Structures are given as C-alpha cells and as structure tokens.
Amino acid sequence: MSMLLAVHDAYGAVLAQVGNPTPEAPPASDKLLKLVRYFTWFVLLSGVLGITYAGGRFAWEKWTGGGLESPKMVAGAMIGGIIATSAGTIMNAVIA
C-alpha cells in the first residue's frame, strides 16, 4: 500500500510540473491559409460555372433534339460540389 502511495505522489509531482501549453501558429501559416481561401473560392466558382454550362448544354440538346448527355454533367457537377463542401466541413471539424 505504501508503494502505491509513493507512486501516486511521484506522478503527482511530475504532472504538477507540466504547464498548460498555448497553441502557436506555425511560421508562414497566414500565407497557407490565404492560399486555401483562394482555392475554396476557385472550387465554388468552378462548381457554379460547371452547373451553368451543363444547364445551357442541356437546353441546347433539348432544343436541337440531340442525345441527352448533359444530365450526367449536371449530376457530376452536383456530386462534385457536395464532395467539395463536405471536405471543407470535415477539415474544419478535424482542425478545430
């Protein structure tokens, strides 16, 4: 029993010396975050442009009576947007 108390006191002495560290941003992290923000805007813009292009092509195919390939493009753009949005949410949850 006295051995257990000695071990408990030793752990208490060691743990009492460990302070509460404050997180610090790594060097050049502001540039990396700026790059990530630009990339996020690029992904959002490309998704909007992709859906707009696929919608215009869908209307053209419908008007000319050609084969309907554009619904696949619309679905692909929407799935890509969902994946891109989910990736940002997941990364924010992991980082925070």
Side-chain angles (χ1 to χ4, degrees):
M1 185 67 159
S2 65
M3 179 71 155
L4 184 60
L5 288 174
V7 170
H8 183 268
D9 288 340
Y11 280 132
V14 170
L15 291 177
Q17 294 177 5
V18 176
N20 188 9
T22 56
E24 185 177 315
S29 64
D30 54 339
K31 293 178 183 177
L32 181 63
L33 287 174
K34 189 175 187 177
L35 181 67
V36 168
R37 286 187 200 109
Y38 281 137
F39 183 70
T40 302
W41 278 108
F42 173 74
V43 168
L44 290 172
L45 182 62
S46 64
V48 168
L49 289 175
I51 290 176
T52 304
Y53 174 75
R57 186 164 172 172
F58 181 69
W60 178 258
E61 289 174 357
K62 194 77 167 165
W63 186 55
T64 59
L68 294 178
E69 293 293 322
S70 56
K72 294 176 189 175
M73 292 173 62
V74 172
M78 292 174 73
I79 290 171
I82 291 170
I83 291 171
T85 304
S86 300
T89 305
I90 291 170
M91 288 306 291
N92 283 335
V94 168
I95 291 172

